[in-house]
Amino acid sequence: MSTATYTVTGMTCGHCVSAVTEEVSQVSGVTAVDVDLESGGLTVTSEAPVDEAAVRAAVEEAGYEVAGR
């Protein structure tokens, strides 16, 4: 199992959390997504490491940005 963490900027409410969760959940290989609204934390769990670019693209598709790493 692999876990990666990111910081998402621009989220302000529960709908934001739902949008990010829905988009990132669709990335191939992702088995769980946990989003913390207060910190902007995004934890992605998968069977094998997931391409960071795919996660960033999913967050952007939801209308938000991943803070620089």
Side-chain angles (χ1 to χ4, degrees):
M1 186 179 319
S2 177
T3 303
T5 57
Y6 305 88
T7 300
V8 178
T9 58
M11 295 188 301
T12 59
C13 64
H15 177 266
C16 301
V17 170
S18 295
V20 170
T21 301
E22 181 178 339
E23 291 296 333
V24 175
S25 293
Q26 294 177 26
V27 173
S28 180
V30 170
T31 58
V33 177
D34 182 48
V35 181
D36 181 64
L37 179 60
E38 285 187 30
S39 69
L42 166 63
T43 303
V44 179
T45 305
S46 55
E47 291 299 323
V50 174
D51 181 26
E52 182 177 331
V55 173
R56 286 180 177 273
V59 170
E60 289 172 8
E61 181 68 27
Y64 309 96
E65 290 185 24
V66 173
R69 283 183 104 189

